[in-house]
Amino acid sequence: MRIGELARRAGTTTRTLRYYESRGLLPALRAGNGYRTYGEDDLRLVQQIRTLQDFGFDLEETRPFVECLRAGHPAGDACPASLAVYRAKLAELDVLIEQLQSVRAQVGAQLLRAEAQLPGGPDPQCEFGD
């Protein structure tokens, strides 16, 4: 298939596919006329990249998954390097969750402090209408 069809089937743009190619993630064969040609395996590569990016992985973090697929494995996470990226991403997410929980606790404490300083307690809820 040509680049436009691959982009359409993968739900992305030709510009994105060219970028993946420039980063060495998506190999492109050239037909005699110079057009890029792709197969179903290339569609799987792009789908793997897009899924991981939807999960918050940066493009470089997708490389082990792509290499795993290119090595002939049925899934991009069937290789040790891919599993290591999963583990690192989970550790990163755990840190972010802890940070968010800390910020939430601080905001909650600030709200309680601010409400306690209001004369007569918190304002009643405003209602619209006459």
Side-chain angles (χ1 to χ4, degrees), residues 86-104 106:
Y86 275 153
R87 287 185 192 99
K89 182 57 75 176
L90 283 175
E92 178 185 320
L93 290 170
D94 287 341
V95 168
L96 290 172
I97 289 168
E98 287 177 25
Q99 290 172 344
L100 286 171
Q101 287 174 332
S102 174
V103 168
R104 187 189 188 293
Q106 292 172 31

Side-chain angles (χ1 to χ4, degrees), residues 36-84:
R36 293 171 174 89
T37 61
Y38 301 96
E40 293 299 316
D41 289 343
D42 298 313
L43 177 60
R44 287 182 48 226
L45 289 177
V46 174
Q47 290 169 332
Q48 177 76 79
I49 292 168
R50 292 187 46 79
T51 296
L52 291 168
Q53 287 194 300
D54 287 347
F55 290 159
F57 289 71
D58 66 37
L59 193 56
E60 194 55 37
E61 289 173 318
T62 70
R63 189 171 300 279
F65 297 86
V66 168
E67 289 172 357
C68 190
L69 284 171
R70 287 171 69 182
H73 295 277
D77 57 6
C79 297
S82 303
L83 299 177

